[in-house]
Amino acid sequence: MSVKAFELVPAVERDLLMGDKARINIECIECCGKHLYMGTNDCFIHHFLLDEVTSSKGKLSYLAQKLLHKYLGLKKPVAELRAASALERLIVLCDGIVFLVDMVTLETMPSAAGGGAKIRGVTAFCINENPVNGDPFCVEMGVLSSKRRTVQIYMVYEDRVQLVKEVTTPEQPCAVSVDGYFLCLALATQYMILNYNTGASQDLFPYNSEERRPIVKRIGREEFLLAAPGGLGMFANAEGVSQRAPVNWSESVIGAAVCFPYVVALDESFITVHSMLDQQLKQTLSFRDGHILQDFEGKVILASTKAVYVLVPLPLERQIQDLLASHRVEEALLLTEGAQQNIPKDKYQILHKRILQQAGFIQFGQLQFLEAKEHFRKGQLDVRELISLYPLLLPASSSFTRCHPPLHEFADLNHLAQGDQEKVLRCKKFLISYLGEVRSTEVANGCKEDVDTALLKLYAEQDHDSLLDLLASDNACQLADSLPWLEKYHKYFALGLLYHYNGQDSAALQLWIRVVDGDLQDSTRSDLYEYIVDFLYSCSNLDLIWKYADWALQKDPTIGVHIFTKRPASKDLSELNPDDVITYLGKHSQALLLYLEHLVLERRTKKEKFHTHLAVLYLERVLSLLSESPTDEQKLTRARERLQGLLRESNLYRAQFLLGKMEDCEQLLLERATLHGKLEEHDKALHILVHKLRDFPSAEAFCTWASCCRDSAYRQQLFHLLLGVYLDRNLSGKPQTAAGGGDLEMAAVDLLNRHGEVFDAVRVLRMLPEGWSLQLLRPFLGRAIRASMHACRTSQIALGLAHSENLQLLHDRLKDRKKPVFVSEKKGCHLCHNTFSEPDVVCLPGGVPVHTHCVAQRVRDSPTKRRLTNSSNHT
């Protein structure tokens, strides 16, 4: 695709050069700064001064002024001119001779003493623009000889030339270019690279110099441009490797130049411009009769036989903008990045970022969102440039103004979409995604309020799930700007979250309560009531809790009471006084009951008044159900179970007070029995269970419960008491009343047979009537005997283990002393006073050795056995 990269501007017109001499033709040109030199076919050198003139519209033109012309006196065309500005000399090739000319006077320089200023037999020469000699007042030059297959390296001074190196080539060279020690040569049949310092060479590719003119052009450090077969412009470095793809130019190219990033080629009719970055043809200019094309310090000059022109590059930014205007994004970016080495770093970074941003907006307009996002990211786009395309998304308080000159051609999203709502929707979805990614990055620094507010508006409008996540996290949404937007789309729950984030909890609660009460419609949360309760129990403002708890309790006391029961213990939250809560819940009986259960059963609060209060509420509930007609037996059973459970488990309530409240209620005998048990009035409790309720399993369970965590003697006393009630006797065995019967006797038998191990068998046998058969008590007696035998044997085992442990300890003690016991024929036994004849002895406590038979005799004679430690010692 074409791009206008250059303009062809006349520099020296025909009339100024030749006047009325029609046969004069331009043979060669050289430009040094503003100074233009031309060699003609009549052996003249013409010197012009070129001034650049810029019009008011920015158009560039050249004003040429002829300063001098000079005849060289050789009657041959001037073949080549090269300026050595450091020497103020022109190096001229004419009639096979290279000589020096003064740049100002154009006078030929005479030969210096001891050296020559001319080189004869030359077909071509070139200047080394990357010299290896460090002398600033010397120019290095490569020369091709017409008589030998060599390349000669000369040093050129103000008034002389000096041969420093001569290298042989395999064929006659016809064109040369030099960079450092490297020569790029066009031979008769091929191109080659030659290092004249080391002699190393590298063949490049074949080429027939007889068919077309070879081109060897240095384009950079150790890199050359060559005219290859097939109409290709090939690049080669000093190692003979091509690191760029070739450009496809004309078969009849007669000249080439480089003006980065372009390669300019000249043929018989056209000037072609190719990009070195993508090798594509970018521009074609018509130019007939051209035969010279050269670049001088970035200035591309070409000439016909009669006039000189300058190929003026358009400013790089203009080229890039032209590409962007044509929506050729990739080419524009490629051109920008390719020009990096020719632009100062700071300026390039600014230019590159802007081009990336413009490219992003172009691709955004084409709905190429992934590419656009990547360009926005690399170009570090101020995200507000993108947000500003969407009407009303930026907060009213935002101070943002769009970049000037603008980065895009769109007034707003409506202008971009041209009424296509599907396109609008896709653009909004992209912005949601993009803002969600950048809001927590450096891109949003300094404009977080604008980003978060815009994102909130989009979420609300699109009914996006992430709206609540945004508001529940750290955000910078502006309340005043967001409020009407959330109200418009009925996002009242989200608005409440925003109120809360801004410290306006009361406003949030009022709004949510209106939604729960049906005054406002918002389907965001079906459990909003439960959310309000959760919000209140975690609220640090106690005034808000007291203010709105009543509403929650009226809605549902079983859930509303969570405000008080689920409040976590935290340093950040003030703890509610239970007494204040109980007072507050006075008019909410169900909630009060649940709160007391929380205190007593869950938190295990050790305060008598809470336990008593809960027990009273349980009792009142039972009494209320008993008073109903008909009675709901299921509810009554559950209520009594709760009351009985509390009476059994708690030890903190006022038992006498509760007993007084149910004294006249015959339906609560089991509860009364439990209270008597708490008061240690076990006889009364058992009397109720056995004689009034006739509930023998409960009587046994009572004994087990009442003796829990007590010693075995207390447990035995309770079971003996129950047996006495069954047998209608007191603990001394004397009859009490004429009550009882077969069922009580069977209960007594069952009690003995089930819990025989608890009873004192001897005492039980004294209590039992004489008429009971042994067979009836067989299970009890069997268990009692087994228990007695087990206790006896266990005691014996314990005694034996104690003896064994004592002996072991004595042995260990003796062993720990680590002192041997010495016996000898001279030492006597402590018991019989006879000497020892054998080493076997017994050691008494204290380490005293005695005969074994003496100890045995003493143990037999003594009623108390002494503990001895056997040991075998050797002298």
Side-chain angles (χ1 to χ4, degrees):
M1 298 181 69
S2 64
V3 62
K4 189 174 182 180
F6 295 91
E7 286 184 340
L8 191 61
V9 179
V12 180
E13 300 288 352
R14 173 182 180 141
D15 294 340
L16 184 60
L17 174 64
M18 62 188 65
D20 56 356
K21 298 179 181 180
R23 294 184 179 181
I24 295 177
N25 293 329
I26 300 172
E27 295 293 334
C28 59
I29 59 175
E30 171 69 312
C31 185
C32 183
K34 292 184 177 182
H35 297 274
L36 177 67
Y37 299 89
M38 287 184 287
T40 58
N41 61 342
D42 57 354
C43 203
F44 272 84
I45 296 177
H46 299 262
H47 183 190
F48 293 87
L49 185 66
L50 290 182
D51 286 318
E52 295 182 356
V53 179
T54 305
S55 68
S56 58
K57 295 183 179 180
K59 189 173 181 63
L60 181 67
S61 61
Y62 286 91
L63 179 63
Q65 177 186 357
K66 188 170 184 178
L67 299 179
L68 189 64
H69 65 276
K70 185 72 174 179
Y71 177 60
L72 299 179
L74 295 176
K75 298 182 180 181
K76 292 285 185 177
V78 180
E80 196 74 39
L81 289 175
R82 285 292 179 267
S85 58
L87 309 177
E88 296 187 352
R89 298 291 182 263
L90 285 176
I91 305 173
V92 182
L93 173 61
C94 182
D95 195 17
I97 304 172
V98 172
F99 53 94
L100 303 179
V101 171
D102 188 282
M103 291 183 68
V104 178
T105 65
L106 301 183
E107 293 291 339
T108 302
M109 302 305 299
S111 298
K118 293 183 179 181
I119 308 171
R120 298 182 183 277
V122 177
T123 59
F125 74 93
C126 66
I127 301 298
N128 190 348
E129 298 179 21
N130 181 25
V132 294
N133 189 327
D135 188 350
F137 300 105
C138 174
V139 174
E140 298 177 20
M141 178 174 66
V143 174
L144 302 183
S145 174
S146 60
K147 298 179 181 179
R148 291 181 292 179
R149 296 178 180 178
T150 61
V151 179
Q152 297 171 325
I153 306 300
Y154 282 88
M155 294 298 183
V156 180
Y157 299 92
E158 287 186 0
D159 55 356
R160 63 189 173 90
V161 294
Q162 179 181 344
L163 178 65
V164 295
K165 190 78 173 182
E166 185 173 16
V167 291
T168 304
T169 59
E171 297 178 4
Q172 179 66 41
C174 53
V176 63
S177 184
V178 187
D179 183 88
Y181 287 113
F182 295 98
L183 300 169
C184 186
L185 299 169
L187 306 180
T189 61
Q190 66 176 353
Y191 289 103
M192 70 178 296
I193 297 288
L194 177 63
N195 186 320
Y196 73 79
N197 184 48
T198 64
S201 64
Q202 174 67 51
D203 294 340
L204 298 179
F205 48 83
Y207 186 81
N208 191 342
S209 60
E210 294 180 358
E211 293 182 359
R212 59 182 60 86
R213 178 180 174 183
I215 296 175
V216 181
K217 180 72 178 178
R218 177 187 180 274
I219 64 171
R221 187 177 181 84
E222 298 185 358
E223 188 174 15
F224 304 92
L225 173 63
L226 312 172
L232 295 177
M234 296 289 293
F235 299 93
N237 62 18
E239 297 177 354
V241 178
S242 179
Q243 295 180 324
R244 305 177 194 267
V247 295
N248 191 4
W249 58 27
S250 168
E251 289 274 2
S252 57
V253 168
I254 57 178
V258 172
C259 183
F260 195 86
Y262 299 109
V263 174
V264 183
L266 174 68
D267 61 21
E268 297 173 350
S269 302
F270 297 98
I271 303 166
T272 57
V273 180
H274 289 78
S275 172
M276 295 172 66
L277 304 174
D278 61 7
Q279 293 73 48
Q280 299 299 310
L281 177 64
K282 299 299 181 181
Q283 187 179 6
T284 302
L285 297 169
S286 178
F287 190 77
R288 296 186 179 279
D289 300 326
H291 74 117
I292 299 174
L293 173 63
Q294 290 183 350
D295 57 275
F296 305 96
E297 300 173 354
K299 185 182 295 183
V300 180
I301 298 179
L302 38 65
S304 65
T305 57
K306 306 299 182 182
V308 178
Y309 299 84
V310 178
L311 204 57
V312 179
L314 270 65
L316 184 65
E317 291 188 44
R318 179 176 169 184
Q319 296 181 46
I320 295 170
Q321 293 302 326
D322 288 345
L323 289 170
L324 291 174
S326 303
H327 292 182
R328 292 156 63 182
V329 171
E330 295 304 323
E331 290 183 70
L333 291 173
L334 192 63
L335 179 58
T336 305
E337 293 164 3
Q340 179 176 359
Q341 63 186 23
N342 296 333
I343 302 176
K345 183 177 180 181
D346 294 343
K347 184 178 180 181
Y348 172 76
Q349 289 180 345
I350 295 172
L351 173 65
H352 190 217
K353 287 179 182 179
R354 179 175 175 83
I355 300 307
L356 283 169
Q357 293 170 8
Q358 288 181 272
F361 276 109
I362 290 171
Q363 293 179 317
F364 173 75
Q366 297 171 345
L367 306 186
Q368 297 175 3
F369 296 127
L370 288 178
E371 295 83 354
K373 180 171 68 173
E374 185 64 16
H375 292 325
F376 289 154
R377 184 187 64 81
K378 290 182 178 178
Q380 298 177 12
L381 175 73
D382 184 336
V383 69
R384 293 173 294 182
E385 287 281 358
L386 183 59
I387 298 173
S388 66
L389 278 176
Y390 297 72
L392 303 177
L393 283 193
L394 280 175
S397 60
S398 176
S399 60
F400 172 75
T401 55
R402 286 185 181 178
C403 178
H404 184 78
L407 296 173
H408 52 79
E409 59 187 11
F410 311 119
D412 57 23
L413 187 60
N414 296 324
H415 175 214
L416 184 152
Q418 296 293 316
D420 186 343
Q421 293 305 308
E422 176 64 24
K423 193 171 185 178
V424 171
L425 182 60
R426 290 182 63 186
C427 289
K428 288 182 177 179
K429 287 183 178 179
F430 164 71
L431 185 60
I432 287 175
S433 171
Y434 183 66
L435 294 182
E437 291 180 15
V438 305
R439 65 178 296 263
S440 57
T441 67
E442 293 181 358
V443 176
N445 286 350
C447 57
K448 191 166 177 59
E449 288 186 357
D450 295 347
V451 171
D452 283 2
T453 304
L455 194 56
L456 177 143
K457 292 178 179 180
L458 286 170
Y459 282 159
E461 179 185 326
Q462 299 297 316
D463 195 22
H464 201 281
D465 294 338
S466 297
L467 174 61
L468 302 184
D469 295 333
L470 172 66
L471 293 172
S473 63
D474 185 24
N475 68 82
C477 300
Q478 289 192 3
L479 177 59
D481 207 71
S482 304
L483 189 149
W485 207 278
L486 294 171
E487 288 180 339
K488 176 182 178 181
Y489 294 102
H490 305 291
K491 300 297 180 182
Y492 298 109
F493 176 70
L495 179 54
L497 292 179
L498 188 57
Y499 275 132
H500 168 60
Y501 189 80
N502 285 272
Q504 301 182 27
D505 289 350
S506 182
L509 287 168
Q510 290 175 14
L511 190 66
W512 292 335
I513 287 172
R514 292 181 64 193
V515 174
V516 174
D517 290 342
D519 299 335
L520 298 174
Q521 300 301 315
D522 181 2
S523 59
T524 302
R525 292 194 69 139
S526 58
D527 61 342
L528 183 55
Y529 168 72
E530 289 80 0
Y531 181 87
I532 293 173
V533 171
D534 293 347
F535 183 87
L536 285 172
Y537 77 60
S538 60
C539 181
S540 60
N541 189 335
L542 298 183
D543 293 336
L544 286 181
I545 295 176
W546 299 124
K547 181 177 180 181
Y548 293 104
D550 188 64
W551 171 85
L553 292 167
Q554 289 179 5
K555 277 287 181 182
D556 188 340
T558 61
I559 296 177
V561 76
H562 292 167
I563 296 171
F564 307 105
T565 61
K566 288 189 175 183
R567 187 171 179 81
S570 170
K571 294 181 180 179
D572 300 330
L573 297 179
S574 302
E575 188 173 356
L576 293 171
N577 188 328
D579 293 326
D580 294 339
V581 176
I582 291 172
T583 302
Y584 184 85
L585 295 176
K587 56 184 178 181
H588 303 284
S589 57
Q590 188 175 3
L592 176 60
L593 177 65
L594 293 171
Y595 181 69
L596 286 170
E597 286 180 337
H598 166 72
L599 292 177
V600 173
L601 304 180
E602 295 179 17
R603 289 178 55 180
R604 303 292 180 180
T605 303
K606 303 298 183 182
K607 286 192 176 182
E608 172 271 324
K609 60 181 178 181
F610 297 150
H611 287 250
T612 302
H613 197 164
L614 179 60
V616 169
L617 292 180
Y618 279 165
L619 178 58
E620 290 176 350
R621 173 62 176 165
V622 171
L623 294 176
S624 174
L625 290 172
L626 286 172
S627 64
E628 293 179 0
S629 182
T631 301
D632 188 332
E633 293 297 334
Q634 190 174 6
K635 288 184 180 181
L636 178 60
T637 300
R638 287 201 300 268
R640 290 190 66 185
E641 287 175 352
R642 293 165 74 184
L643 175 59
Q644 292 166 8
L646 177 63
L647 296 179
R648 285 194 301 270
E649 299 299 327
S650 175
N651 295 318
L652 298 175
Y653 57 82
R654 291 160 56 194
Q656 193 66 53
F657 173 75
L658 293 173
L659 192 59
K661 280 186 167 291
M662 61 179 74
E663 192 68 37
D664 299 329
C665 185
E666 292 298 322
Q667 293 96 326
L668 301 180
L669 292 174
L670 186 58
E671 289 80 357
R672 287 167 57 188
T674 303
L675 289 172
H676 283 300
K678 287 291 182 179
L679 294 171
E680 298 287 331
E681 298 173 350
H682 300 306
D683 53 344
K684 295 181 180 180
L686 292 173
H687 180 79
I688 293 173
L689 293 172
V690 173
H691 294 293
K692 291 187 176 181
L693 290 176
R694 312 291 288 185
D695 188 348
F696 307 136
S698 293
E700 291 183 24
F702 174 84
C703 292
T704 302
W705 163 73
S707 61
C708 181
C709 302
R710 306 294 287 268
D711 57 24
S712 58
Y714 189 90
R715 182 181 180 86
Q716 187 181 80
Q717 182 181 358
L718 277 179
F719 274 92
H720 275 282
L721 182 61
L722 176 58
L723 180 62
V725 172
Y726 283 157
L727 298 177
D728 197 22
R729 294 175 179 270
N730 58 21
L731 294 180
S732 63
K734 296 180 181 179
Q736 288 183 338
T737 60
D743 54 347
L744 291 179
E745 291 182 355
M746 290 307 301
V749 172
D750 292 340
L751 176 65
L752 290 171
N753 290 336
R754 276 196 296 268
H755 301 280
E757 71 281 356
V758 178
F759 291 93
D760 181 348
V762 176
R763 184 178 173 188
V764 169
L765 292 175
R766 291 173 181 170
M767 293 175 63
L768 294 179
E770 296 179 357
W772 283 19
S773 68
L774 190 62
Q775 186 65 28
L776 187 65
L777 296 174
R778 182 178 179 181
F780 163 69
L781 294 174
R783 294 180 68 179
I785 293 171
R786 283 195 300 272
S788 178
M789 292 178 66
H790 174 73
C792 179
R793 290 170 179 171
T794 301
S795 299
Q796 291 176 346
I797 292 173
L799 181 61
L801 290 173
H803 287 171
S804 174
E805 182 180 10
N806 191 30
L807 288 173
Q808 183 65 41
L809 290 173
L810 288 173
H811 176 268
D812 292 343
R813 178 185 175 192
L814 183 62
K815 187 176 180 181
D816 289 342
R817 290 180 177 179
K818 297 180 180 179
K819 293 182 180 179
V821 178
F822 295 98
V823 294
S824 68
E825 295 177 351
K826 296 179 180 181
K827 194 171 184 179
C829 172
H830 185 72
L831 296 179
C832 69
H833 305 293
N834 294 324
T835 60
F836 295 101
S837 61
E838 294 180 354
D840 293 336
V841 297
V842 175
C843 189
L844 295 177
V848 179
V850 296
H851 289 117
T852 55
H853 59 270
C854 293
V855 173
Q857 182 63 37
R858 184 172 181 177
V859 170
R860 285 195 296 271
D861 296 342
S862 176
T864 304
K865 296 181 180 180
R866 299 175 179 175
R867 301 182 184 94
L868 301 173
T869 302
N870 293 322
S871 62
S872 296
N873 302 283
H874 302 277
T875 58

